[in-house]
Amino acid sequence: MFPVSVNRHIDEHLKNVVLEIETKNPDLSVFTARQFRYNLFQNTVELTIKEPRQFNVLEEFIIRAGLEFDPPPTSTELASVLGLDAVFVNNTIATLQSLQTLSLDSTITVTNEGRLFYEKGTVPQPPYTVTVYAICDALEESVIFQSEYLDDVSMKLPDLTKVVKISDKSINISALEIEKIQNIVKDSDLTFHVPEQGKIVTDFQVIPPTKNIWQSLDLLVIFNAKEDIFNIQVCKGEEILKPASKKINSLLKQGKIYLTELCELSNENIALAREEIIQN
């Protein structure tokens, strides 16, 4: 039980959380439970997406020729082999080139993207774009995409950066490789990049400006009397933010943040409370 002789800072909306923690585990004592605000960075991102359609017979012949002939034929040569009008073949090749299935060479050359679609018996449809929002979280060192715009929230809360050093710079989304963008889309549980279905994010564009967004979080400093250690837990509602908690605990061990600032208690009061908890 936390000693009554030490006046700890427990925000009103976290009192029940603290009571539950200390009731369920008598070895744990919460030294502080406070709500802070911290800054996220939001960017508008335009994703370019291609989806498949079944190729027709002529498209299949042209792509197969580009893959199997050595050397690859010209459009005139292929038209002669197929016994078709060269204009008809050229028009189909131009369509496949516009879809980046064939490269803009003098011979019929299949692109890597064209190979991927061909293996599924398809060619891409004309690309379309969707708008998503990239949320960069310096505390959790993460980037996610979401479909909904995140509104800024006006809040009168202490700034977490006053007690924890957090980067004040957003990740440069524009500098990321397309493979990284595709992985972020998948990790964000968005359905815009599903390669097994032939649906592929092929390009992206970041639309300025970067917007700063204030969000709130709860921070608890918990003392484990049995192990004689302090642990910091960062939460949003009932969700424990594991990467953020790990980062702040690491900063505490490195001496880059201090219990006195987190708990708003002097070293003497922290030591007094710790000793009394251990003895009881």
Side-chain angles (χ1 to χ4, degrees), residues 226-275:
K226 188 174 183 179
E227 299 180 10
D228 193 11
I229 59 171
F230 284 93
N231 180 59
I232 298 171
Q233 185 171 290
V234 182
C235 309
K236 277 187 180 179
E238 296 182 356
E239 178 189 4
I240 298 175
L241 305 181
K242 293 182 180 179
S245 298
K246 182 179 180 181
K247 180 175 182 177
I248 294 183
N249 277 294
S250 176
L251 293 173
L252 178 65
K253 290 178 181 178
Q254 296 173 44
K256 294 182 178 180
I257 58 175
Y258 305 98
L259 289 176
T260 52
E261 294 181 0
L262 294 177
C263 300
E264 294 188 324
L265 293 171
S266 66
N267 283 320
E268 292 76 14
N269 279 335
I270 292 174
L272 174 66
R274 172 183 162 278
E275 288 298 326

Side-chain angles (χ1 to χ4, degrees), residues 103-208:
S103 61
L104 300 174
D105 294 336
S106 58
T107 58
I108 299 171
T109 305
V110 182
T111 64
N112 290 334
E113 184 179 310
R115 289 174 182 268
L116 292 175
F117 278 96
Y118 178 76
E119 288 170 0
K120 301 181 184 301
T122 64
V123 291
Q125 299 185 65
Y128 63 93
T129 60
V130 296
T131 298
V132 297
Y133 302 95
I135 309 300
C136 301
D137 189 327
L139 178 59
E140 292 208 289
E141 298 178 342
S142 67
V143 181
I144 64 167
F145 290 150
Q146 58 184 44
S147 298
E148 298 296 326
Y149 184 84
L150 189 63
D151 289 323
D152 192 13
V153 180
S154 177
M155 53 185 71
K156 295 181 179 179
L157 292 171
D159 187 346
L160 184 63
T161 60
K162 302 299 182 183
V163 293
V164 177
K165 291 182 179 180
I166 303 173
S167 173
D168 60 355
K169 295 182 180 180
S170 176
I171 295 173
N172 184 3
I173 306 292
S174 297
L176 298 179
E177 299 289 338
I178 184 62
E179 291 79 8
K180 179 63 175 178
I181 295 296
Q182 291 168 344
N183 288 333
I184 294 173
V185 171
K186 293 174 68 175
D187 292 343
S188 301
D189 294 327
L190 298 177
T191 58
F192 301 130
H193 184 72
V194 191
E196 56 272 22
Q197 297 178 10
K199 190 174 184 179
I200 300 173
V201 173
T202 59
D203 200 2
F204 70 99
Q205 180 181 4
V206 178
I207 302 173

Side-chain angles (χ1 to χ4, degrees), residues 13-14 50 180 208 234:
H13 79 285
L14 292 171
K50 286 185 179 177
K180 179 63 175 178
V234 182

Side-chain angles (χ1 to χ4, degrees), residues 24-36:
K24 286 185 176 180
N25 193 333
D27 289 328
L28 302 183
S29 296
V30 180
F31 269 60
T32 191
R34 302 170 60 190
Q35 190 172 48
F36 290 89

Side-chain angles (χ1 to χ4, degrees), residues 61-118:
F61 276 129
I62 291 172
I63 297 170
R64 283 183 61 186
L67 292 172
E68 298 177 2
F69 282 34
D70 187 18
T74 64
S75 60
T76 302
E77 290 170 340
L78 184 61
S80 176
V81 169
L82 297 176
L84 296 174
D85 189 318
V87 174
F88 185 42
V89 173
N90 283 332
N91 287 341
T92 304
I93 289 175
T95 298
L96 292 174
Q97 288 175 331
S98 71
L99 298 174
Q100 285 80 53
T101 297
L102 299 181
S103 61
L104 300 174
D105 294 336
S106 58
T107 58
I108 299 171
T109 305
V110 182
T111 64
N112 290 334
E113 184 179 310
R115 289 174 182 268
L116 292 175
F117 278 96
Y118 178 76

